[in-house]
Amino acid sequence: HEPNGPAERTFRIVMCGDAAVGKSSLVMRVVRKQFTNQLPSTLGVDFHVKTVNVDGHNVALQLWDTAGQERFRSLCKSYFRRADGAILVYDVSAEHTFLRIRDWIDTIKESTERSIPIILVGNKSDLRVGDLGAVTKSDGASMAAAMGVLFMETSALDGSNIDNTMLALTRELMAVE
Ligand code: GDP
């Protein structure tokens, strides 16, 4: 999916989910070395840009990541307002982060005027042996189905499913009007 030429469209994607679930690590995985754009974090929010080629179209993905949980709360609505899509992350080894998913989806829905594509991401899949552990893959899939969002399990540590996550979300973003 390497781009060749300028981006035809730009999508603004917000990272959300509880502290320490791996949001920043996922962003770093996505942008790897090719990434460039980092704003000074005066607002507590940075974005990184990744240009990808999906189904023959070059698209720029702006990944917005909050730098601090508390500061984030006060700018929550403005953070989501202009979002085209969201990556909502929990930690498969920390059930309390999964139990907050409904609240996060409510926050996104309250803050956006139209419904935006969301992908639910169960990160740190490397910490799980088989299907044991705090949050199983079928728990995640059921939650995503109930909420009407996409779903993927990832590991920012070993890189698994990172590309698939971005591909699935980007396809859904491209399908919006
Ligand atoms: P954030 O607060 O959501 O941005 O989370 P961070 O990206 O700062 O990650 C929190 C901690 O989890 C750090 O110690 C990371 O190294 C670790 N971490 C992030 N992703 C993974 C992963 O996929 N697997 C494992 N084992 N650890 C991870």
Side-chain angles (χ1 to χ4, degrees):
H1 308 296
E2 289 314 306
N4 181 17
E8 298 162 40
R9 299 178 70 178
T10 297
F11 295 113
R12 177 179 166 123
I13 299 167
V14 296
M15 305 296 299
C16 47
D18 281 3
V21 296
K23 298 180 295 294
S24 300
S25 303
L26 287 166
V27 170
M28 287 307 146
R29 252 301 166 182
V30 171
V31 304
R32 260 166 289 190
K33 294 154 198 130
Q34 318 162 21
F35 268 13
T36 41
N37 206 341
Q38 187 167 359
L39 291 175
S41 67
T42 49
L43 291 175
V45 180
D46 290 327
F47 78 89
H48 300 257
V49 181
K50 168 117 180 138
T51 305
V52 293
N53 187 285
V54 173
D55 305 329
H57 298 278
N58 286 334
V59 298
L61 307 176
Q62 282 184 0
L63 297 175
W64 289 77
D65 187 23
T66 53
Q69 188 77 355
E70 283 314 310
R71 279 204 287 177
F72 161 69
R73 288 219 165 91
S74 59
L75 52 93
C76 199
K77 294 222 166 183
S78 58
Y79 180 61
F80 287 113
R81 191 175 298 126
R82 289 172 51 221
D84 297 304
I87 298 178
L88 174 51
V89 187
Y90 65 93
D91 173 347
V92 300
S93 70
E95 190 182 28
H96 66 96
T97 67
F98 182 67
L99 296 175
R100 293 259 304 126
I101 291 303
R102 283 171 192 274
D103 287 346
W104 277 109
I105 288 186
D106 288 346
T107 298
I108 297 167
K109 289 190 170 161
E110 283 164 16
S111 310
T112 54
E113 280 164 25
R114 60 197 164 82
S115 113
I116 60 170
I118 299 170
I119 189 162
L120 178 64
V121 168
N123 187 45
K124 308 195 190 182
S125 59
D126 60 281
L127 291 180
R128 200 169 53 205
V129 180
D131 202 32
L132 300 173
V135 187
T136 68
K137 190 172 179 178
S138 71
D139 290 337
S142 300
M143 173 68 80
M147 299 281 117
V149 301
L150 300 167
F151 175 65
M152 205 70 74
E153 282 198 343
T154 62
S155 168
L157 186 75
D158 67 23
S160 66
N161 263 341
I162 306 291
D163 288 350
N164 288 335
T165 296
M166 300 316 295
L167 184 61
L169 181 62
T170 304
R171 284 204 168 117
E172 188 134 317
L173 287 163
M174 289 169 69
V176 174
E177 34 82 285

